[in-house]
Amino acid sequence: MAQNGLYKRAAIVGIGETEYSRDSGRSELTLALDAITAAVRDAGLAPKDIDGLLKFQVDANSEGEIAGCLGMDHLRFYGELGGAGTAGCGLVAHAAAAVATGLANNVVVYRAMNGRSGRRYGRGEVTMRGGSGLGAFTEPYGQLVPQQGLAMLARRHMHQYGTTSRQFGAVSVALRAHANLNPKATFYTTPLTLEDHQNSRYVVEPFRLFDCCLETDGACAVVVTTAERARDLPNTPAFVLSAGQCLPGYRGPLPDVTYANARTLAPGLFAGAGVTPQDINVAQIYDHFSAMVIFALEDYGFCKKGEGGPFVEEGNIQWPNGRLPVNTAGGHLSEAYLHVMNHMNEAVRQLRGASTAQVQDAELVLVDSGIGAGALILGR
Amino acid sequence: MAQNGLYKRAAIVGIGETEYSRDSGRSELTLALDAITAAVRDAGLAPKDIDGLLKFQVDANSEGEIAGCLGMDHLRFYGELGGAGTAGCGLVAHAAAAVATGLANNVVVYRAMNGRSGRRYGRGEVTMRGGSGLGAFTEPYGQLVPQQGLAMLARRHMHQYGTTSRQFGAVSVALRAHANLNPKATFYTTPLTLEDHQNSRYVVEPFRLFDCCLETDGACAVVVTTAERARDLPNTPAFVLSAGQCLPGYRGPLPDVTYANARTLAPGLFAGAGVTPQDINVAQIYDHFSAMVIFALEDYGFCKKGEGGPFVEEGNIQWPNGRLPVNTAGGHLSEAYLHVMNHMNEAVRQLRGASTAQVQDAELVLVDSGIGAGALILGR
């Protein structure tokens, strides 16, 4: 029984993306325009139909430039979301709330960045924190980038539950196998074995090179509209069944550092869609680091706490035979690092039956943007 | 006939503010916490009841710090809005959409800044533009701050419609008279005559000193909840009847520079509430500069285009006898410059019958945050 006012009120009806590269040779504005144009066309709409635009706070483009370049003269809803890369699911939720209440009819959510040739997140070239000082507790000690903080959580998970580097590697290997089926993926033609993973250098212990996500130049966009309009448009709608957010990095009531925000968010998320974790057919999980997929699997309730390592090692996240195929286009580890918006597009493709690692009769997809910073359940 | 899905689905049920000063002696975080605490208490709620938090993109505080300091352990909706000071109405609209669709139950919207003792907007100490370069067309020529760009629009208005500096002054004088009734206003004890205005120095021609808003240290906050919950809380609810946004600075289909975004936004705004401009009892208008009130009065349709100058000169915006009292607490010109959030609180006071310049039986209030960048119609 669905308990929320968003249930099937809105749907993703268009998806678009640029090529993924290490050096786009183009501005982030051009990337944004290309991905948005592709998504709007995919939706069967024209840019002038778009009256809402939501952006990542860290996205360098301004709404005015995008609207001006594309002729969106009637933009009447806009906003943004912080938390750096974790904003994707929350933004789609905000778009869904906007169209459900008539603040807009057709809302674009996008992410565009030259994440490799421009500012690189993994090098501390982008300020990740608010202006008022949380970094004061960590930055003077040299903790500047996400992999440093999250490595400590991963280490604790290993200590507490016996999770191993080979289990982290099982995530990387499974996602690489999915990328090897996806011609758009950065690592389409490059296989990865567990031995490759185990032989790769440490970036920050216990994270090896192949535990860490890509750096990508590119852009992705989606179009969200009302359920009624969605039924008149060309593609199978990906309905928003339920959505939730938690503050990334804010631990609130979590018992210890091996738990992620997904733990707080999951009960409301599943209740809102009227489903359980066992009903989900395929998951798109924010994989900045392989270990974080294990945290997410546990904290959303796909397996018991501490059993994420064995869960992935047993092949449960690998298409086609796994119980819950994860990141079926390759994810951040092997497709592209577009701050979950490439996952969003893949979630929609799964519901359309158009993935290169298609889960048969996929009806329900979970999308996670940051171990519970945001999450969606999308359905046909 | 209301045409939008927000109509009376949400209400502002709590308001709070700090003292307004030129040197708070406190951090912007402390200011935010004080205003939020006051608003939550005013709503008859506790901080733990707050599960949504929306901020101005330019606000220096982080959601995590605010949540941590106040014990908001169950925050499940958050976001922000750019456009610098113009975000207030849009954020309340987003909050209304969130509670209407169940993304959250009780959402705080706040603004906290040391706008005088800290970074000063009027000096170009705050970056007002996105990172991707619109400023490249103006900043090399020395146009760094809002008063410079808007002065050119005001000059054109004078040229095209015969608007005068004395008419700009009529706005400043009317709002000062309102501030002289409001003990919290910066200029509570300081009167202003039209001669004072005419004798004041130019800041940027045609803007004289008293055409320009204050710089303020302080904070304001509101609590938005559902209409159902609002009826069980202690205060008279200020229901959100209609809301709209336009991109600040994006001119879209506007005919010339004497028109503001309010022109684009107004038809949907009034239709959404099922009312006309003539039905509005009191208006709270973003008055960074006196002339911008004249633009807003015209473009929302309170008077004809080009007749804003005579409209204000004839006393129509002054309490108690004006046809449409404007900024009844003194506004940005004479109460405080808190990016329309002090206007928001005054709008709610008018609907509660609690203003120091109370419009009798006020039923409908228009709030504008940036000549149409955002607008709300609130009602009892």
Side-chain angles (χ1 to χ4, degrees), chain A residues 57-303:
Chain A
Q57 192 271 315
V58 291
D59 196 277
N61 298 297
S62 79
E63 299 93 337
E65 286 173 295
I66 289 171
C69 291
L70 295 180
M72 297 173 175
D73 270 2
H74 301 283
L75 218 54
R76 59 193 180 103
F77 171 73
Y78 56 94
E80 51 196 85
L81 187 51
T86 64
C89 289
L91 288 171
V92 170
H94 296 192
V99 300
T101 55
L103 287 178
N105 291 326
N106 303 301
V107 180
V108 161
V109 178
Y110 80 96
R111 179 71 174 112
M113 60 175 169
N114 281 323
R116 179 60 173 75
S117 71
R119 295 181 305 169
R120 298 171 67 176
Y121 280 80
R123 293 197 166 191
E125 292 172 6
V126 182
T127 303
M128 306 291 287
R129 301 170 197 283
S132 51
L134 282 178
F137 295 101
T138 52
E139 289 168 7
Y141 305 99
Q143 188 184 313
L144 299 170
V145 289
Q147 58 266 37
Q148 293 171 307
L150 294 168
M152 290 197 277
L153 309 192
R155 179 63 86 192
R156 180 71 199 177
H157 201 281
M158 298 171 89
H159 171 80
Q160 199 150 320
Y161 306 112
T163 312
T164 66
S165 172
R166 295 178 70 86
Q167 291 169 340
F168 297 163
V171 174
S172 306
V173 168
L175 272 48
R176 181 64 64 90
H178 300 160
N180 293 159
L181 299 165
N182 170 14
K184 295 212 63 167
T186 302
F187 281 133
Y188 175 47
T189 58
T190 315
L192 182 78
T193 66
L194 193 56
E195 285 58 50
D196 295 334
H197 173 276
Q198 289 293 297
N199 292 332
S200 68
R201 67 179 166 85
Y202 281 119
V203 173
V204 179
E205 284 190 60
F207 291 152
R208 299 176 185 279
L209 180 64
F210 294 121
D211 290 312
C212 300
C213 65
L214 292 161
E215 295 176 300
T216 303
D217 288 8
C220 295
V222 300
V223 178
V224 177
T225 193
T226 61
E228 298 77 51
R229 283 183 200 90
R231 295 195 175 88
D232 297 329
L233 295 173
N235 294 308
T236 305
F239 292 105
V240 176
L241 307 188
S242 182
Q245 292 183 268
C246 276
L247 283 174
Y250 182 70
R251 305 201 52 78
L254 295 173
D256 67 51
V257 299
T258 65
Y259 289 84
N261 287 133
R263 194 73 171 194
T264 306
L265 177 153
L269 181 75
F270 289 107
V275 303
T276 70
Q278 285 63 48
D279 297 319
I280 302 294
N281 305 115
V282 50
Q284 308 296 333
I285 293 175
Y286 197 96
D287 51 333
H288 33 1
F289 306 101
S290 57
M292 282 31 249
V293 173
I294 291 173
F295 279 65
L297 291 167
E298 296 174 354
D299 291 330
Y300 281 112
F302 294 115
C303 62

Side-chain angles (χ1 to χ4, degrees), chain A residues 175 178 280-286 297 300 302 317 324-329 343 346-347 350 359 364-368:
Chain A
L175 272 48
H178 300 160
I280 302 294
N281 305 115
V282 50
Q284 308 296 333
I285 293 175
Y286 197 96
L297 291 167
Y300 281 112
F302 294 115
I317 65 169
L324 181 79
V326 168
N327 297 3
T328 41
H343 298 62
E346 171 66 5
Q350 283 287 352
V359 173
L364 291 168
V365 185
L366 180 139
V367 188
D368 159 79

Side-chain angles (χ1 to χ4, degrees), chain B residues 266-281:
Chain B
L269 181 75
F270 289 107
V275 302
T276 70
Q278 285 63 47
D279 297 320
I280 302 295
N281 305 115

